[in-house]
Amino acid sequence: VVNNKIEGIELKGNQSIIIKVKDGWTAEVTEQTTMPDGFILTNTDVSENKTVTLDANVEYVFTNTYNPDEVTADITINASKILNGRPWNNDQFTFALYRYNKHNAQYEELTRETVNSAGNFGATLTAAIKAEVFTEVGEYHFMVRELVPDETKGVTYDSHYRIFTVVVTDDDTDGKLEIADVAAENAVTVTENGSAYTVDAEPFVNVYKATGIAEVTIEINKTVDTPDGINYSPKGFEFGVYDDKG
């Protein structure tokens, strides 16, 4: 005790200390204002003066809340579109990025990206995943899938889900959340480059197959040129219609 002060008391979470003083003393307890990163004093009114008597003990309860800084993930999503069965003909295919909501056990849509030619895409999906904010330690699941329109017009759409997981940790309790990993779950591969990750989705493959019966009229005209003085028998000529297998 120096000048009626006790300084330098350090307590860990859920620890307590009993200090005995004389009857009638007025006590004031103050927590240090400089705290480790990520910690705040939740109940700031506990440092008020209280008088100690023989009939009543004085209790101070200091509540600290740990609230680390949020984090975003540097993730690039690469995907590609393939249409088999016919050439592209003013086609448009749309894909959506979803984030799993653990509170309602549903995947919730974040954004869509539409392509109208074969090849790679993912710029819109990438912008959306980079904008996602993570505020708690845990695993966050994301899914990319193709949206199937009401009219498929003979196209069978890719029904596989591309899924990856972002792992958020704070093992060092330094007041900042960290992206510990981006893990491949289904139909994707993940490449790590420092703090950046690239998610390569397996190609989305759609197949076109004509359906129904088409009526086609085939008109055949046969012309025979005969040199002078040569007579051909009246025997006719035969024609056949075959499929591509003969």
Side-chain angles (χ1 to χ4, degrees), residues 9-15 30-44 46 60-67:
I9 299 175
E10 295 184 1
L11 299 176
K12 296 181 179 180
N14 298 320
Q15 287 184 336
T30 304
E31 184 168 12
Q32 293 179 348
T33 56
T34 302
M35 300 182 188
D37 291 339
F39 287 91
I40 61 172
L41 178 62
T42 305
N43 51 337
T44 57
V46 295
Y60 290 87
V61 178
F62 291 84
T63 302
N64 296 102
T65 301
Y66 181 63
N67 185 26

Side-chain angles (χ1 to χ4, degrees), residues 53-210:
T53 67
L54 294 176
D55 298 326
N57 294 326
V58 173
E59 180 180 20
Y60 290 87
V61 178
F62 291 84
T63 302
N64 296 102
T65 301
Y66 181 63
N67 185 26
D69 292 341
E70 60 194 24
V71 67
T72 57
D74 186 0
I75 298 175
T76 299
I77 300 176
N78 292 328
S80 61
K81 181 65 198 170
I82 298 174
L83 175 61
N84 290 332
R86 65 165 173 79
W88 286 66
N89 182 23
N90 296 322
D91 297 293
Q92 287 189 334
F93 299 100
T94 301
F95 305 84
L97 173 66
Y98 299 81
R99 175 172 169 168
Y100 183 77
N101 186 334
K102 65 181 180 180
H103 300 294
N104 60 16
Q106 299 288 331
Y107 274 99
E108 297 177 347
E109 184 177 322
L110 298 177
T111 191
R112 295 185 179 188
E113 184 168 348
T114 298
V115 300
N116 53 21
S117 63
N120 298 329
F121 66 94
T124 302
L125 306 181
T126 295
I129 192 68
K130 287 181 181 292
E132 282 298 287
V133 176
F134 304 96
T135 59
E136 298 178 354
V137 169
E139 295 185 353
Y140 298 82
H141 305 287
F142 293 87
M143 174 179 67
V144 179
R145 73 179 183 93
E146 186 171 13
L147 303 180
V148 181
D150 295 333
E151 296 184 9
T152 59
K153 299 179 180 179
V155 176
T156 300
Y157 281 71
D158 193 313
S159 61
H160 298 93
Y161 299 155
R162 280 66 171 168
I163 301 175
F164 60 93
T165 298
V166 177
V167 181
V168 179
T169 60
D170 186 24
D171 295 338
D172 53 8
T173 320
D174 64 347
K176 300 176 182 178
L177 296 176
E178 294 93 22
I179 303 297
D181 190 24
V182 176
E185 299 293 341
N186 187 69
V188 301
T189 58
V190 178
T191 304
E192 181 180 358
N193 183 13
S195 60
Y197 297 84
T198 300
V199 176
D200 291 303
E202 292 183 2
F204 289 87
V205 180
N206 291 358
V207 178
Y208 172 78
K209 186 176 182 180

